[in-house]
Amino acid sequence: MLAETICSAVSAAGLGIAAVTAWRKRFLAATRIAAYSLVPIALVLTGIVDWVAGIAFKPSVWLGFGLLAVAWVLFMTTRAVERRSGGTRKERRAAARAARGDAVAPAASAPSLGAGVPQAQARPKGKSREQSVVPGEDFSDIEAILKKHGI
């Protein structure tokens, strides 16, 4: 009841301001002010004000918003921890396996790109080439580009 009275008063005040603005020969601004001042009374008549007031003053609704906030915080925390720890368990195992492999042969002065893990073992079936980056992949196309540019 109080919300409806306040909305009606705001609409009446807005229409009064629109009338004064129109009296000053600023019809475009007066029309815009009249349009804005009709919104609160329209919300009252459609029942949206009662619905919002019903939501705002129910403890169960606020408990629901609180639970949504807790769920969001938990979700974001798990994502942050997962990113910091290096991803999923499978990704950590793959990274540990990759760290154990030697990138440079013991007596070599340059990295050995072709030697290392065999291709059948390097890329598990079911994953695309972009998803599994394993040492020992074929880098011949990159080598060709680098040689072409004299690097």
Side-chain angles (χ1 to χ4, degrees):
M1 185 74 162
L2 180 64
E4 289 87 357
T5 306
I6 292 171
C7 288
S8 298
V10 167
S11 289
L15 289 173
I17 293 170
V20 169
T21 307
W23 184 69
R24 292 182 179 172
K25 308 275 190 219
R26 298 184 63 208
F27 297 110
L28 188 62
T31 306
R32 190 175 298 124
I33 292 169
Y36 281 124
S37 66
L38 290 175
V39 171
I41 197 71
L43 291 175
V44 167
L45 293 174
T46 58
I48 293 175
V49 172
D50 289 333
W51 178 72
V52 170
I55 287 176
F57 299 118
K58 284 186 181 177
S60 61
V61 172
W62 287 105
L63 181 65
F65 282 125
L67 290 176
L68 281 174
V70 168
W72 181 79
V73 167
L74 290 174
F75 179 69
M76 296 310 281
T77 303
T78 57
R79 286 189 57 150
V81 169
E82 186 178 62
R83 284 184 180 168
R84 185 169 284 188
S85 68
T88 62
R89 185 177 187 187
K90 189 183 289 186
E91 292 170 350
R92 286 192 302 268
R93 283 186 180 173
R97 254 187 269 125
R100 276 188 264 137
D102 292 333
V104 178
S109 62
S112 56
L113 297 175
V117 182
Q119 286 293 0
Q121 186 182 5
R123 202 174 327 136
K125 291 184 180 181
K127 287 194 172 189
S128 68
R129 184 177 177 122
E130 293 83 15
Q131 289 178 342
S132 65
V133 177
V134 179
E137 281 193 358
D138 185 25
F139 291 105
S140 60
D141 53 344
I142 297 173
E143 287 178 6
I145 292 170
L146 292 174
K147 285 180 184 178
K148 178 182 173 185
H149 292 286
I151 300 175

